[in-house]
Amino acid sequence: MARHIALVVEQALEDGPLTRRLVLRDPDGWPLPRWKPGAHLDLMVPGIGPRAYSLCGDPAATDRWEVAVKREAASRGGSAWVHEALRPGDAVAATMPRCTFPIAAGANRHVMVAGGIGVTPFLAMARALERQGADWALHLLCRGAPPCGDVVAALGPRAQVHDTARAPRPAWSTLLGTPAPGLHAYCCGPEAMLDGFAAATTHWPKGSVTMEHFVPPPLPAAESAVSYTLRRAATGEEAVVEAGGSMLAVLRGLGAKVNASCEGGICGACEVRWVEGTPIHRDRVLSPERRKTHLMACVAQCASSHLVVEG
C-alpha cells in the first residue's frame, strides 16, 4: 500500500477555464521529496479514494508540489472535490510521486503536444528541459483560453498555444516535424487527439514517441485470457480468477495491500511483481523490459493455468 504524505493547501488558484491549480506544501515547512518531470501523484479524496494528477510545478522546487485540475462535468468525485471543497489551509493526503511518462533518455530534441488540461506534465518537462539547455517545443491545443495560461506564457516562445476556436488545428506534420534521429515526440490529451497522434507517428522509429492517457481507454476482453489460480508468494494463499476477472479484486480478497487509482492501466499505482505464469499485459505504462517482471493488477489477465505474484 502506498505511503501517504501529509500536505497542506497553500494556494488554490483559478488558472484558466474550469481549471484550479493547487500549491501544496509540507505543513511544517520541511522540504518535499524530489520527483521526475512527467510524474504524477494521488490525492486522497475523502469518502472516495485516490485520484491521480500530474505534477505541473518546477521539479527543482523542493518547497512545493503543484497540480492543476479541470472541473469535469462527469467527475468521479476528484475534480468536484478540488474545485468545491478545498480551500487554502486545508490538509490533504497524497502518495509519493511516480513517473510513468518520463523525458526520453538520449533524445536531443523534444516535441510535446498537449490537448487542454493534458498540458500539465509538459509544464514540468519544459522547465527541466530548458534548465538542461535542451532543444524543445510545446504545442498546446485548446478551445478558447488555455489552462495554466500564465505558466505556459512564462515558458517563452517555445511554448505555443493554438486556439482551435479561432483557427483549425495545425496539421500533425506541422506540429511534429519530420522524424529524425534524436527526435522524440510526446502527446497527452483526450482520446481522439491521442488516436490522431498515434496515426500520425505510426511510421516513426520504434521508441521515438510516447503518449499519456488521463482517462483510461476502453479495454476489449483479451482473447487468450483463461481462468487461472492466483497465488501470493508471500503467504501461499491462492484463489481462482475467472477469465477476464479482476486480479486486483482477488489480490485484495487474499489480503494483499495493493494500491490503485485509475483502475484502467494508465496511472501505475497497482504495479506488482510476478514470478511465475504468463500474464497478459494490457496497461499503457510499463515498458517491455519492465513487463518481464511486473504487471498492473487492475487490468492484467492471464494466459496460463496459474500465476504467482509477490506480496
Side-chain angles (χ1 to χ4, degrees):
M1 185 70 72
R3 180 169 65 91
H4 293 158
I5 296 176
L7 301 170
V8 65
V9 178
E10 180 181 72
Q11 294 177 286
L13 308 169
E14 306 306 317
D15 199 356
L18 300 176
T19 303
R20 203 172 205 212
R21 181 159 52 90
L22 303 179
V23 179
L24 307 169
R25 292 185 184 268
D26 180 271
D28 297 317
W30 289 97
L32 293 170
R34 293 278 189 177
W35 51 277
K36 293 181 180 180
H40 57 272
L41 51 68
D42 291 337
L43 296 183
M44 307 307 296
V45 182
I48 295 176
R51 291 293 183 265
Y53 301 107
S54 294
L55 286 160
C56 63
D58 188 343
T62 60
D63 63 338
R64 63 177 61 192
W65 287 346
E66 296 182 34
V67 297
V69 181
K70 180 182 177 182
R71 178 64 163 96
E72 299 288 353
S75 171
R76 295 190 301 147
S79 72
W81 172 70
V82 168
H83 280 256
E84 298 172 10
L86 282 185
R87 298 290 183 271
D90 285 352
V92 297
T95 60
M96 284 287 291
R98 56 186 181 273
C99 189
T100 58
F101 191 48
I103 293 174
N108 55 35
R109 175 163 171 72
H110 307 261
V111 178
M112 300 166 279
V113 183
I117 197 64
V119 74
T120 49
F122 298 133
L123 300 178
M125 288 184 179
R127 288 184 175 101
L129 290 168
E130 183 69 18
R131 191 173 288 114
Q132 296 168 13
D135 186 359
W136 64 272
L138 169 61
H139 298 280
L140 170 55
L141 309 180
C142 56
R143 291 188 63 80
C148 303
D150 290 343
V151 181
V152 174
L155 295 175
R158 295 192 189 194
Q160 299 182 46
V161 176
H162 305 274
D163 182 354
T164 58
R166 293 177 174 269
R169 191 208 73 205
W172 283 109
S173 58
T174 301
L175 295 172
L176 300 175
T178 303
L183 172 61
H184 197 94
Y186 311 76
C187 188
C188 181
E191 287 302 304
M193 170 180 282
L194 295 176
D195 290 344
F197 174 81
T201 57
T202 186
H203 63 290
W204 282 46
K206 183 178 180 180
S208 63
V209 299
T210 311
M211 296 188 294
E212 181 171 65
H213 300 256
F214 51 72
V215 175
L219 281 175
E223 293 183 1
S224 56
V226 298
S227 176
Y228 63 99
T229 299
L230 178 65
R231 177 159 57 93
R232 292 182 60 197
T235 64
E237 293 176 289
E238 296 181 343
V240 173
V241 184
E242 298 299 329
S246 171
M247 182 187 305
L248 176 64
V250 173
L251 278 172
R252 286 175 165 174
L254 291 173
K257 297 185 181 301
V258 184
N259 194 45
S261 179
C262 74
E263 299 196 22
I266 64 171
C267 76
C270 63
E271 182 179 28
V272 297
R273 179 184 288 272
W274 63 274
V275 292
E276 289 182 27
T278 308
I280 299 173
H281 300 281
R282 304 197 303 156
D283 62 90
R284 304 295 184 100
V285 294
L286 292 177
S287 67
E289 187 65 25
R290 187 73 172 171
R291 286 181 171 183
K292 294 178 181 178
T293 55
H294 292 75
L295 54 79
M296 290 298 169
C298 66
V299 294
Q301 296 180 2
C302 188
S304 57
S305 62
H306 77 286
L307 186 70
V308 181
V309 299
E310 291 187 353

